[in-house]
Amino acid sequence: MRWINRRPSRTGALFLALLPFVLAILVYAVASEARLAANPADKLLPAFADLVDGVKRMAFTPDARSGDYLMWVDTLASLQRLLSALAIATIVGLVTGLVLGLLPLARATFAPFVAVVSMVPPLALLPILFILLGLGESAKITLITIGITPFLIRDLAARVEELPREQTIKAETLGSSSWQIALRVTLPQVLPRLLDSLRLSLGPAWLFLIAAEAIASESGLGYRIFLVRRYLSMEVILPYVAWITLLAFLMDLCLRRLQAKAFPWFAGRAG
């Protein structure tokens, strides 16, 4: 049998999925042990016991100054910013993407502008946002929104244009207005694709969040990482990075489950 036709069993697939994680942990354990054997005071690759102590200190021990559980406070602050920005970007991206995809006049007018704006590096706008909006939450949420909205607009507009033209013609033949075609023909087919676009935007959204928190914030996962880096506290930084990765993975998983639950016809067709 050719390799392109070989498929793992369910157990085999689970084993193959876990294998890279196990190898990464083994590589880290070997490298950490070697560095600590050469220099017991080395902080770059702390032992697993130190990582556990770091998690206990940040997540399950009240802070001596504020009395807060810092890791949960940081998580709540970051998620509030991220989810607020994702909600705004989703609404703007969906409405604008539908308009650009459906209306040739709107596409001819605004599509080039959106294409140019999408090329602006969002992080380069961060100083401008801080000047215009101050150092509060507005600037951070705006940065994330600006960072991912152009991608959502362009992707959704392209998805709308990909829909079979015959559907629109048939709806017009039956007497549907432009408004009815947008809401009853196009929107139901675009919504599952919107969830795919949103999943692809999660990585950049986290990147912009961490960057904004690192520069001007008093709470948040990015703020904490850049605060403790001064003391080379890798026993805190590494668990925080792993926690951010887990949060992003869970958000992606929730969006996939939502898509499969709300749009089973699309999930089945996608395989």
Side-chain angles (χ1 to χ4, degrees):
M1 180 182 290
R2 292 181 177 84
W3 281 99
I4 59 172
N5 295 322
R6 290 180 181 272
R7 295 182 181 275
S9 63
R10 194 165 184 174
T11 305
L14 179 61
F15 172 77
L16 291 174
L18 293 177
L19 182 61
F21 295 98
V22 175
L23 289 176
I25 293 173
L26 285 177
V27 169
Y28 179 88
V30 171
S32 174
E33 187 175 352
R35 290 186 67 93
L36 291 174
N39 178 18
D42 180 75
K43 290 186 174 182
L44 189 60
L45 296 178
F48 286 116
D50 293 329
L51 295 177
V52 172
D53 289 340
V55 173
K56 287 181 179 176
R57 176 158 52 89
M58 300 303 294
F60 303 108
T61 305
D63 180 59
R65 185 172 60 86
S66 63
D68 295 329
Y69 294 89
L70 295 179
M71 191 168 180
W72 305 119
V73 172
D74 292 334
T75 301
L76 181 62
S78 291
L79 286 181
Q80 284 178 340
R81 293 165 186 146
L82 187 70
L83 294 179
S84 300
L86 287 176
I88 297 171
T90 300
I91 295 172
V92 175
L94 177 60
V95 173
T96 311
L98 274 177
V99 170
L100 295 189
L102 275 174
L103 304 179
L105 289 177
R107 184 163 59 249
T109 305
F110 294 106
F113 176 75
V114 174
V116 171
V117 169
S118 68
M119 299 302 164
V120 177
L123 291 179
L125 300 176
L126 190 55
I128 301 174
L129 295 177
F130 283 148
I131 293 172
L132 294 177
L133 304 175
L135 301 179
E137 299 300 303
S138 300
K140 303 177 187 64
I141 294 173
T142 304
L143 173 68
I144 302 170
T145 305
I146 290 176
I148 64 174
T149 301
F151 165 75
L152 291 177
I153 293 174
R154 297 184 71 187
D155 189 57
L156 289 176
R159 302 295 181 99
V160 172
E161 290 184 72
E162 288 174 356
L163 295 177
R165 177 66 179 161
E166 292 79 7
Q167 296 180 357
T168 306
I169 295 174
K170 191 175 293 184
E172 290 176 348
T173 305
L174 295 173
S176 302
S177 64
S178 298
W179 185 251
Q180 289 173 321
I181 292 173
L183 291 184
R184 297 185 180 181
V185 178
T186 306
L187 181 61
Q189 298 184 76
V190 167
L191 286 178
R193 294 171 171 85
L194 170 65
L195 295 178
D196 275 341
S197 301
L198 205 53
R199 287 175 54 205
L200 295 175
S201 301
L202 287 179
W206 276 101
L207 171 66
F208 300 136
L209 172 69
I210 299 301
E213 290 181 341
I215 294 175
S217 184
E218 294 182 352
S219 64
L221 297 168
Y223 160 77
R224 193 67 57 190
I225 288 175
F226 278 80
L227 178 67
V228 300
R229 74 179 171 83
R230 303 172 187 169
Y231 314 106
L232 204 61
S233 300
M234 295 297 284
E235 75 279 5
V236 174
I237 295 175
L238 291 177
Y240 261 59
V241 173
W243 179 236
I244 291 172
T245 306
L246 179 61
L247 289 174
F249 174 78
L250 291 176
M251 292 175 71
D252 182 86
L253 180 64
C254 289
L255 288 174
R256 274 191 293 161
R257 293 289 174 86
L258 175 62
Q259 186 188 62
K261 189 76 175 177
F263 310 101
W265 56 272
F266 183 84
R269 191 173 64 181

